[in-house]
Amino acid sequence: MEWYLKAADQGHADAQFCIGLLYDNGQGVPQDYSQAMEWYLKAADQGHARSQSNIGLLYDNGQGVPQDYSRAMEWYLKAAEQGHANAQFYIGFLYDNGQGVPQDYSRAMEWYLKAADQGHARSQFSIGLLYDIGQGVPQDYSQAMEWYLKAADQGHARAQSNIGLLYDNGQGVPQDYSRAMEWYLKAAEQGHANAQFYIGFLYDNGQGVPQDYSRAMEWYLKAANQGHARSQFSIGLLYDIGQGVPQDYSQAMEWYLKAADQGHARAQSNIGLLYDNGQGVPQDYSRAMEWYLKAADQGHANAQFYIGFLYDNGQGVPQDYSRAMEWYLKAADQGHSRSQFSIGLLYDNGQGVPQDYSRAMEWYLKAADQGHANAQFYIGFLYDNGQGVPQDYSRAMEWYLKAADQGHSRSQFSIGLLYGNGRGVPQDYSRAMEWYLKAADQGHAIAQSNIGFLYENGQGVPQDYSRAMEWYLKAADQGHARAQSNIGFLYGNGQGVPQDYSGAMEWYLKAAEQGHANAQFCIGFLYGNGQGVPQDYSQAMEWYLKAADQGHARSQFSIGLLYDIGQGVPQDYSQAMEWYLKAADQGHARAQSNIGLLYDNGQGVPQDYSRAMEWYLKAAEQGHANAQFYIGFLYDNGQGVPQDYSRAMEWYLKAADQGHARSQFSIGLLYDIGQGVPQDYSQAMEWYLKAADQGHARAQSNIGLLYGNGQGVPQDYSRAMEWYLKAAEQGHANAQFYIGFLYDNGQGVPQDYSRAMEWYLKAADQGHARSQFSIGLLYDIGQGVPQDYSQAMEWYLKAADQGHARAQSNIGFLYGNGQGVPQDYSQAMEWYLKAADQGHARAQSNIGFLYGNGQGVPQDYSRAMEWYLKAAEQGHANAQFCIGFLYGNGQGVPQDYSQAMEWYLKAADQGHARSQFSIGLLYDIGQGVPQDYSQAMEWYLKAADQGHAIAQSNIGFLYENGQGVPQDYSRAMEWYLKAADQGHARSQSNIGFLYENGQGVPQDYSRAMEWYLKAADQGHARAQSNIGFLYGNGQGVPQDYSRAMEWYLKAAEQGHANAQSNIGLLYGNGHGVPQDYSQAMEWYLKAAEHGHADVQVSIGFLYENGQGVPQDYSRAMEWYLKAAEQGDADAQSNIGILYGNGHGVPQDYSRAMEWYLKAAEQGHATAQSNIGLLYGNGQGVPQDYSRAMEWYLKAAEQGHANAQFCIGLLYDKGQGVPQDYSQAMEWYLKAAGQGDAIAQINIGVLYSTGRGVPQDYLQAMEWYIKAANQGDVNAQLSIDSLQYKSQGIPQDYSRATEWILRIADQQGFNPLSSTKFTTQIIVRVHR
């Protein structure tokens, strides 16, 4: 600058120009256009051409001066006149663009040529451009190429780019994308944005290079970064459609905005589309409209179309078909096919213009001529439906084919439809399938649905529900209502998928939300039937109404049906009739049939069988089987027509031929009961089977009944069960009852009361009286459920209210026994009378029972007999038994065992267990017949086989005692167990007794205790007493007198003599209670009232010993005699003792001997021993040691210690036998082993004296000590003597003194008075 200034100051023009240029470009100085202008003017004034040209450029661009194209032209001309090429170019540019001068391409060409001739590249390019676009010269791509090449050779980037474009488009040269790429690259290397864009475009479209969206994006970005709008748009488009980059509407929006800000119309239009669709931005039709308008103002046809579309659909603006038409027309005038089509559509639908199929056709044709597939489709559609043109399926097919060739799915579908319906072409499901598949592959929902339908119905393809489901799902995923409904149908019917009502409901709802009437109907149907949803008739009604409002006949019928049966709405036959009529007017046969049924039953209309017949006939003419059935039914019952089973059979057959189950059943029933045809169970079975195969429950039930009764088929409970189950699954109450009955009775299935209850409940819930009764019975007897009389009563009442006689009778029984209700014989009588009036034998018998017992009525055996006879005449076994009972007991009739036997036999012949038992009992005790245990056993067995517990127990008793059968404890046990298993207390007690005594089973006190407890828990006195005995003796349980007392008291309270006796014994011995002879006496006296011999002995013993009462041998004798008269051996023995001792009677050994002999004959050991003593002492009999020995031996064999001692003594003394100390020792040892002190002393004596054994003082001492420890004085003295005298043991005065003092304490004498003892055998005195 410094140097330029030095020269400029001297007027150097070039220096002045250079200073201006530095200011112009801000080089070395701040940019300053005013300063630049000053310096340019200095040089220009000297005629400097470049300065003149640059001054023109400053005016051209308004830099440093106000923009002024005229002043620019002036200055350009100054320079141009000097041949300045750049100025010549700019003059051409001003003419080219009409800036400062009128636009004039010819003048522009002149000036461009001037500069071009000087090799000015921009001018050469501009000339090429004028040729390229035909401005000022005819369009000439070859000339354009020549001039572009001139500029390109100088590196002019835009020229290079345009050469590429000519190759790209094949303009002036053969199209050559590779050459185009070469030239684009030349320009792009110079950063030419347009060239960079076109390179991206070639990669984008795979022209001249492999398609590569990523490379395209790279080149678009290069240009876009230079603000190139088309590139910015193209980047946005790649993001918009996800090519080369992940789809990203937000990024698309950003780039579209960059281009749109430069006025790029397509970008503006696409921004509108993003707002329109809510892609990358919230959906906003108003914003969409704003952007469409920006593009439309530039004449962008697509934007004009979308504006029309928004008006057409009222999106972001009020719906306005007229405004839509205006905008469609703007775009259509530019040949925009979618707009032309849309105009046709407005005419087609009469929107914004009067409906005019002809005008629609005109516009469709305009669009169709441009290959617009949708327009071609609608032209086909107009021909297909004869709208605006004569109907012509062939022409329709032609146009559909044009569109279909472009892959137009609706056209492909429509072609399929024409083949499917045989319109314009022969019907051909296979061809239909082909075309549907073409459309379906493009996601055409109806085509997909129709393919599903073809698979579902096997039309053109093999039937395949799974494939049908696949295709329906494709359509349904697009929201196709019919497909959604059909999927629901497949789920509902389990076709191609497992049956799933919930799944069906989901799909029906999808379709219903779109207003699909059939789906709405099906939802109603599911609610009505509780399939997949809880049954809800109100919901069903709502859905039926939605469909009915669309005229859906089945829904109208279904609404009528709900009113008809009062489900979800109050029952209203008039409303039912109204809705049935709506459906019937559409020819709905079932509605017509149901109208007939309303007339038939007089529901909502007066009953009129003739009108019913009229409506049935309407439906029957359509082949409606139900109507045909009802016509048959009218003939069957003679309603509205004369009764005619043959005509009934004719109509039933018509319906049956269509598989109408009720008709097939009715035909079976006519054969079953022989009406109109001969009775024929086989034919009945055939027809029942036809109906049953369709699930007709009553037919299935009747087949079960035929198998159950063996009618027409062999009796077979298992087959009966199979058929009952089929019917029961449909809720058929009678079948459910019979299944329960089979389980109840174990017929064809294992007996199972719980399963029986389940089935009875199913039927009972439907009001089935027999089932209600049977449930009551299970509760009554506690089978399958805990016994619950209240529940039994509830169920009996349900059945009784329906007149069920047996239920009425059982209610009477519950009142009679106070089970589940307070006992009330009057109520019982009322209920029995209800049942008896129906001839119910058991009730009649029970009325007899009430009279017999005076319960609820005065006791009256005669009235009882009357009622028993009523029941007995019907063969009622219990009544026959009761009559026998009355004769047996002489109640209301003279006592007559023969008559009793006759009536018992009548009942017994029916297997009446109590009667069989009673006959056995008569034989057992010999009443009315000779006593015969064998006969008794036979009858007991009959009753026992039926589980009669007392009979089983009595059989056990006969075996236990060997009456009528050989004695057999094991068999006795078997029978007792049978009775015990039924809770029979006596048998349980007897089992305990067998275990206690080891009879028929190993002795087992624990098991005995278990069985006694079972019986005792039922209050069985003998068992309670025996438990006390086990505790008292510590058998099977630890000895516990207190527990023994508890159990004896339980039994005693019931008057059990043995228990009372044992309580006395506990008091007498002070076991478990303080010893109290008075209490003992009280309890013995209670027991004695029963004549209990043991107790009488005990009372006698207390009197004999003065225990609890003053000693009184006479009273003792009285009580002993009572027992003795009963053969009690103890009593007989004790009487002998009283006579032997002269207690209460004069001493009399002979009388003593008599009583001893009575007892001895029963094996009484003490009596036998005492007889031996009398013989030994010669008391009451001559002395006879041999006879004494005989009797001692009898007692000794029973372990009697005194007898054993006495035998030892006889051997010791050689009395009646040779003296034998060894034998004496043996017998002494037997007695000593039982604790006999005298025997122990005598053993000590034998050891001390060495008789029969070696002398052994130590052994002698041991035996003396045994006896001494029992308090025997003789033994104590003997011990003292040995120690004092030091015989065989060390002398020990201290120990000797201890024994003397012990004796003194026992005897009360001065031990020092005598020290002389002799060793002698001790002889036992008579006792």
Side-chain angles (χ1 to χ4, degrees):
M1 175 65 85
E2 289 178 19
W3 286 102
Y4 286 148
L5 284 169
K6 290 179 189 280
D9 287 341
Q10 298 178 60
H12 191 277
D14 280 337
Q16 293 167 334
F17 164 76
C18 288
I19 293 169
L21 194 62
L22 290 175
Y23 277 110
D24 198 352
N25 293 294
Q27 294 173 327
V29 290
Q31 190 175 45
D32 188 334
Y33 295 120
S34 299
Q35 280 292 312
M37 177 64 84
E38 284 182 25
W39 287 100
Y40 285 150
L41 282 169
K42 289 180 189 286
D45 287 343
Q46 296 182 66
H48 191 272
R50 282 187 73 188
S51 294
Q52 294 166 336
S53 178
N54 281 14
I55 292 168
L57 199 58
L58 289 175
Y59 276 110
D60 200 348
N61 294 307
Q63 294 170 325
V65 290
Q67 191 176 44
D68 189 334
Y69 294 121
S70 298
R71 292 299 300 278
M73 176 65 84
E74 288 176 18
W75 284 101
Y76 287 146
L77 284 168
K78 289 180 189 283
E81 286 171 0
Q82 296 182 67
H84 190 272
N86 218 35
Q88 293 167 338
F89 163 74
Y90 280 116
I91 293 168
F93 189 83
L94 290 177
Y95 277 110
D96 199 351
N97 292 282
Q99 294 173 329
V101 291
Q103 192 175 42
D104 189 333
Y105 296 119
S106 298
R107 295 298 300 277
M109 177 64 85
E110 289 176 21
W111 285 101
Y112 287 148
L113 283 166
K114 289 179 190 287
D117 288 341
Q118 297 180 67
H120 189 270
R122 288 185 71 186
S123 296
Q124 293 166 336
F125 165 77
S126 297
I127 294 167
L129 192 61
L130 289 176
Y131 277 111
D132 196 352
I133 55 182
Q135 289 178 329
V137 290
Q139 191 175 41
D140 188 334
Y141 296 120
S142 299
Q143 281 292 311
M145 177 64 84
E146 285 182 27
W147 286 102
Y148 285 151
L149 284 166
K150 292 179 190 287
D153 287 342
Q154 297 182 68
H156 190 277
R158 193 172 172 199
Q160 293 166 337
S161 177
N162 280 17
I163 292 169
L165 199 57
L166 290 176
Y167 276 110
D168 199 347
N169 295 309
Q171 294 170 325
V173 289
Q175 191 174 43
D176 188 334
Y177 295 121
S178 299
R179 294 297 302 280
M181 177 64 84
E182 290 175 20
W183 284 102
Y184 287 146
L185 285 167
K186 291 179 189 289
E189 286 168 3
Q190 298 183 66
H192 189 270
N194 218 36
Q196 293 166 336
F197 163 75
Y198 279 116
I199 294 169
F201 189 84
L202 290 177
Y203 276 112
D204 200 350
N205 294 281
Q207 294 172 328
V209 289
Q211 191 173 43
D212 188 333
Y213 296 119
S214 299
R215 295 298 302 279
M217 176 64 84
E218 289 176 23
W219 284 101
Y220 286 150
L221 282 167
K222 290 178 190 287
N225 289 333
Q226 297 182 66
H228 189 269
R230 288 186 70 187
S231 294
Q232 293 165 334
F233 166 78
S234 296
I235 294 169
L237 193 62
L238 289 176
Y239 277 111
D240 199 350
I241 56 182
Q243 288 179 326
V245 288
Q247 190 175 44
D248 187 333
Y249 295 120
S250 299
Q251 281 291 312
M253 177 63 86
E254 286 183 27
W255 286 101
Y256 284 152
L257 284 167
K258 291 178 191 287
D261 288 342
Q262 297 183 68
H264 191 277
R266 193 173 169 198
Q268 293 167 335
S269 180
N270 280 17
I271 292 169
L273 202 57
L274 290 176
Y275 276 110
D276 201 347
N277 295 305
Q279 295 171 322
V281 289
Q283 191 174 45
D284 188 333
Y285 296 121
S286 299
R287 294 298 301 279
M289 177 64 84
E290 290 175 20
W291 284 100
Y292 287 147
L293 284 168
K294 289 179 190 286
D297 288 343
Q298 297 183 66
H300 191 271
N302 221 35
Q304 294 167 337
F305 163 75
Y306 280 116
I307 293 169
F309 189 84
L310 290 177
Y311 278 111
D312 199 351
N313 293 281
Q315 294 173 326
V317 290
Q319 193 173 43
D320 189 332
Y321 297 120
S322 299
R323 294 297 301 278
M325 178 66 84
E326 287 177 24
W327 284 100
Y328 286 148
L329 284 167
K330 289 178 190 287
D333 288 342
Q334 297 182 66
H336 190 269
S337 61
R338 289 184 72 186
S339 295
Q340 293 167 337
F341 164 73
S342 297
I343 293 168
L345 202 59
L346 290 175
Y347 277 111
D348 200 347
N349 295 305
Q351 294 172 323
V353 289
Q355 191 175 43
D356 189 332
Y357 295 121
S358 299
R359 293 299 301 279
M361 177 66 86
E362 288 175 24
W363 282 101
Y364 286 150
L365 285 166
K366 289 179 191 286
D369 288 341
Q370 296 184 69
H372 190 276
N374 222 28
Q376 293 167 337
F377 163 75
Y378 274 103
I379 293 169
F381 189 83
L382 291 176
Y383 277 111
D384 200 350
N385 293 282
Q387 294 173 328
V389 289
Q391 192 173 43
D392 188 332
Y393 296 122
S394 299
R395 294 298 302 280
M397 177 66 85
E398 289 175 24
W399 283 101
Y400 286 149
L401 284 167
K402 289 179 191 289
D405 289 341
Q406 297 183 67
H408 189 269
S409 60
R410 289 185 70 185
S411 296
Q412 293 165 336
F413 163 75
S414 297
I415 293 168
L417 202 59
L418 289 176
Y419 276 110
N421 294 307
R423 293 190 303 208
V425 288
Q427 190 175 43
D428 187 334
Y429 293 121
S430 299
R431 293 299 302 280
M433 176 64 85
E434 288 176 24
W435 284 102
Y436 286 150
L437 284 167
K438 291 179 191 287
D441 288 341
Q442 297 182 69
H444 190 276
I446 308 176
Q448 293 167 336
S449 179
N450 282 17
I451 292 170
F453 187 81
L454 291 177
Y455 274 112
E456 184 181 353
N457 294 284
Q459 294 175 326
V461 287
Q463 191 175 46
D464 188 332
Y465 295 120
S466 299
R467 294 299 302 279
M469 176 63 84
E470 287 176 24
W471 283 102
Y472 284 147
L473 283 168
K474 291 178 191 286
D477 288 341
Q478 298 183 67
H480 188 267
R482 186 177 169 197
Q484 292 166 336
S485 181
N486 286 359
I487 292 170
F489 185 81
L490 291 178
Y491 273 110
N493 291 286
Q495 294 174 325
V497 288
Q499 192 174 45
D500 183 345
Y501 294 121
S502 299
M505 176 62 83
E506 287 178 26
W507 285 103
Y508 285 145
L509 282 167
K510 291 178 192 285
E513 286 167 5
Q514 298 181 67
H516 191 272
N518 208 49
Q520 293 167 337
F521 162 76
C522 291
I523 293 170
F525 187 83
L526 291 178
Y527 274 110
N529 292 282
Q531 294 173 326
V533 288
Q535 193 173 44
D536 188 332
Y537 296 117
S538 299
Q539 280 290 313
M541 176 64 84
E542 286 182 27
W543 285 100
Y544 286 148
L545 283 166
K546 290 178 192 287
D549 289 341
Q550 297 181 67
H552 191 267
R554 288 184 70 189
S555 295
Q556 293 167 336
F557 164 77
S558 297
I559 294 168
L561 193 62
L562 290 178
Y563 277 111
D564 197 351
I565 55 184
Q567 290 177 326
V569 288
Q571 193 173 42
D572 188 332
Y573 296 120
S574 300
Q575 280 291 311
M577 177 64 84
E578 284 183 28
W579 284 100
Y580 284 151
L581 285 168
K582 289 178 193 284
D585 289 341
Q586 295 184 67
H588 192 276
R590 194 173 169 200
Q592 294 167 336
S593 179
N594 280 19
I595 292 169
L597 200 58
L598 290 176
Y599 277 111
D600 199 347
N601 295 307
Q603 294 169 325
V605 288
Q607 192 173 44
D608 188 333
Y609 295 122
S610 300
R611 293 298 301 280
M613 178 65 85
E614 288 175 24
W615 282 100
Y616 287 147
L617 285 167
K618 287 179 192 287
E621 286 167 6
Q622 296 184 66
H624 190 268
N626 219 37
Q628 293 167 337
F629 162 76
Y630 280 116
I631 294 169
F633 189 83
L634 291 177
Y635 277 111
D636 199 351
N637 294 282
Q639 294 172 327
V641 289
Q643 192 173 42
D644 188 333
Y645 295 121
S646 299
R647 293 298 302 279
M649 179 65 85
E650 287 175 24
W651 282 101
Y652 286 149
L653 283 167
K654 287 179 192 288
D657 288 340
Q658 296 183 68
H660 188 269
R662 288 185 70 186
S663 296
Q664 292 166 338
F665 166 77
S666 297
I667 294 168
L669 195 61
L670 289 177
Y671 277 110
D672 199 351
I673 56 182
Q675 287 180 326
V677 288
Q679 190 175 43
D680 187 332
Y681 294 122
S682 299
Q683 280 290 310
M685 176 63 85
E686 284 183 29
W687 283 101
Y688 284 152
L689 283 168
K690 290 179 192 286
D693 287 341
Q694 297 182 71
H696 189 276
R698 194 173 166 198
Q700 293 167 336
S701 181
N702 281 17
I703 292 170
L705 206 55
L706 290 177
Y707 274 110
N709 294 312
Q711 294 171 322
V713 289
Q715 191 174 45
D716 187 332
Y717 293 121
S718 298
R719 293 298 303 280
M721 174 63 85
E722 288 174 24
W723 284 103
Y724 287 145
L725 282 167
K726 290 178 191 286
E729 285 168 6
Q730 299 181 67
H732 190 270
N734 219 37
Q736 293 166 338
F737 164 75
Y738 278 114
I739 294 170
F741 187 83
L742 291 178
Y743 276 111
D744 203 348
N745 294 282
Q747 294 174 327
V749 289
Q751 192 173 45
D752 188 331
Y753 297 119
S754 298
R755 295 297 303 279
M757 174 65 83
E758 289 175 24
W759 285 102
Y760 286 149
L761 282 167
K762 290 177 192 288
D765 289 340
Q766 298 181 65
H768 190 269
R770 289 184 71 186
S771 296
Q772 293 166 337
F773 165 76
S774 298
I775 294 169
L777 194 61
L778 291 177
Y779 276 111
D780 197 351
I781 56 184
Q783 289 177 326
V785 288
Q787 192 173 45
D788 188 331
Y789 296 120
S790 300
Q791 281 290 312
M793 176 64 82
E794 285 182 28
W795 286 101
Y796 284 151
L797 283 167
K798 290 177 193 287
D801 288 342
Q802 296 184 66
H804 192 276
R806 198 171 165 199
Q808 294 167 337
S809 176
N810 282 18
I811 292 170
F813 188 82
L814 291 177
Y815 274 111
N817 291 282
Q819 293 172 326
V821 288
Q823 192 173 45
D824 188 331
Y825 296 119
S826 300
Q827 280 289 313
M829 178 64 83
E830 285 182 27
W831 283 101
Y832 284 146
L833 285 167
K834 288 178 193 286
D837 288 342
Q838 296 184 66
H840 190 269
R842 186 178 172 195
Q844 294 168 336
S845 178
N846 285 359
I847 292 170
F849 185 83
L850 291 178
Y851 274 112
N853 291 284
Q855 294 172 328
V857 288
Q859 191 174 44
D860 187 333
Y861 294 121
S862 299
R863 294 298 301 280
M865 178 64 84
E866 288 175 23
W867 281 101
Y868 285 145
L869 284 167
K870 287 179 192 286
E873 286 167 5
Q874 296 184 67
H876 190 271
N878 208 49
Q880 294 167 338
F881 162 76
C882 289
I883 294 170
F885 188 84
L886 290 177
Y887 275 111
N889 291 283
Q891 295 173 326
V893 289
Q895 190 174 43
D896 188 333
Y897 293 121
S898 300
Q899 280 289 311
M901 177 65 84
E902 285 182 28
W903 283 102
Y904 286 150
L905 284 167
K906 288 180 193 286
D909 288 341
Q910 296 183 68
H912 189 268
R914 288 185 69 188
S915 295
Q916 293 166 337
F917 166 76
S918 297
I919 294 169
L921 195 61
L922 290 176
Y923 278 110
D924 198 353
I925 57 182
Q927 288 180 327
V929 288
Q931 190 175 43
D932 188 331
Y933 293 123
S934 299
Q935 280 290 311
M937 176 65 83
E938 285 183 27
W939 285 102
Y940 284 151
L941 283 168
K942 291 179 192 284
D945 287 341
Q946 297 183 68
H948 192 278
I950 306 176
Q952 293 167 337
S953 181
N954 282 14
I955 292 170
F957 189 81
L958 291 177
Y959 274 111
E960 186 179 353
N961 294 284
Q963 294 173 325
V965 289
Q967 191 175 45
D968 188 330
Y969 295 120
S970 298
R971 295 299 302 280
M973 175 64 84
E974 288 176 24
W975 285 101
Y976 285 146
L977 283 168
K978 290 179 191 285
D981 288 341
Q982 297 183 66
H984 188 263
R986 185 178 164 197
S987 295
Q988 293 168 336
S989 178
N990 286 359
I991 293 168
F993 186 81
L994 292 177
Y995 274 111
E996 185 182 351
N997 293 284
Q999 294 175 326
V1001 289
Q1003 190 174 45
D1004 188 332
Y1005 295 119
S1006 298
R1007 294 299 302 279
M1009 175 64 83
E1010 288 176 25
W1011 283 102
Y1012 284 146
L1013 283 168
K1014 290 178 191 285
D1017 288 341
Q1018 297 184 67
H1020 191 272
R1022 185 178 170 199
Q1024 294 167 336
S1025 179
N1026 286 4
I1027 292 170
F1029 186 81
L1030 292 177
Y1031 274 111
N1033 292 284
Q1035 293 173 325
V1037 289
Q1039 190 174 45
D1040 187 332
Y1041 294 119
S1042 299
R1043 293 299 303 279
M1045 176 65 83
E1046 288 176 24
W1047 283 102
Y1048 285 145
L1049 283 168
K1050 290 179 191 284
E1053 285 168 5
Q1054 298 184 64
H1056 190 271
N1058 215 40
Q1060 293 167 335
S1061 172
N1062 285 353
I1063 293 170
L1065 196 62
L1066 291 177
Y1067 276 111
N1069 293 305
H1071 290 160
V1073 289
Q1075 191 174 44
D1076 188 332
Y1077 294 119
S1078 299
Q1079 279 291 314
M1081 178 62 84
E1082 284 183 28
W1083 283 102
Y1084 286 148
L1085 286 169
K1086 288 179 191 286
E1089 291 172 4
H1090 300 279
H1092 196 279
D1094 283 346
V1095 178
Q1096 293 166 339
V1097 172
S1098 296
I1099 294 170
F1101 186 82
L1102 290 178
Y1103 275 112
E1104 183 181 356
N1105 293 283
Q1107 293 174 325
V1109 288
Q1111 191 175 44
D1112 189 332
Y1113 294 119
S1114 299
R1115 294 299 301 278
M1117 178 64 83
E1118 287 176 23
W1119 283 101
Y1120 286 149
L1121 284 168
K1122 289 179 190 286
E1125 287 168 2
Q1126 298 182 64
D1128 187 274
D1130 281 336
Q1132 293 166 338
S1133 178
N1134 285 1
I1135 292 170
I1137 291 171
L1138 289 177
Y1139 273 110
N1141 291 302
H1143 290 160
V1145 289
Q1147 189 175 44
D1148 188 335
Y1149 293 119
S1150 298
R1151 295 299 302 278
M1153 177 65 83
E1154 288 175 23
W1155 284 102
Y1156 284 150
L1157 284 168
K1158 289 181 191 287
E1161 286 169 4
Q1162 297 184 66
H1164 194 276
T1166 298
Q1168 291 169 337
S1169 179
N1170 282 357
I1171 292 170
L1173 200 60
L1174 289 177
Y1175 273 111
N1177 293 312
Q1179 294 171 322
V1181 289
Q1183 190 175 44
D1184 188 334
Y1185 292 120
S1186 298
R1187 294 296 304 277
M1189 177 66 83
E1190 288 176 22
W1191 285 101
Y1192 285 148
L1193 284 168
K1194 289 180 191 284
E1197 285 170 2
Q1198 296 183 66
H1200 193 274
N1202 201 52
Q1204 292 166 339
F1205 164 77
C1206 290
I1207 293 169
L1209 190 64
L1210 289 177
Y1211 276 111
D1212 199 354
K1213 290 183 168 294
Q1215 295 172 328
V1217 289
Q1219 191 173 42
D1220 187 333
Y1221 295 120
S1222 298
Q1223 280 290 313
M1225 177 65 84
E1226 283 183 30
W1227 285 101
Y1228 286 152
L1229 283 168
K1230 289 180 192 284
Q1234 296 185 66
D1236 189 284
I1238 301 175
Q1240 292 166 343
I1241 292 172
N1242 283 8
I1243 293 169
V1245 170
L1246 290 177
Y1247 273 113
S1248 179
T1249 58
R1251 289 184 298 194
V1253 290
Q1255 190 176 45
D1256 188 333
Y1257 292 114
L1258 288 174
Q1259 279 291 319
M1261 177 65 82
E1262 285 182 23
W1263 283 103
Y1264 288 149
I1265 288 171
K1266 288 180 191 283
N1269 285 336
Q1270 295 185 64
D1272 192 280
V1273 174
N1274 286 318
Q1276 294 166 346
L1277 288 172
S1278 296
I1279 294 167
D1280 177 72
S1281 176
L1282 288 176
Q1283 290 180 332
Y1284 186 79
K1285 293 181 178 181
S1286 181
Q1287 291 178 324
I1289 57 172
Q1291 190 175 46
D1292 188 335
Y1293 295 117
S1294 298
R1295 295 298 303 280
T1297 302
E1298 285 177 22
W1299 283 106
I1300 291 296
L1301 288 171
R1302 184 180 294 185
I1303 295 167
D1305 286 340
Q1306 292 175 218
Q1307 302 294 325
F1309 72 94
N1310 185 348
L1312 301 179
S1313 63
S1314 174
T1315 60
K1316 186 176 181 179
F1317 301 97
T1318 58
T1319 302
Q1320 296 179 346
I1321 293 296
I1322 303 299
V1323 180
R1324 194 184 304 271
V1325 298
H1326 173 71
R1327 58 180 181 180

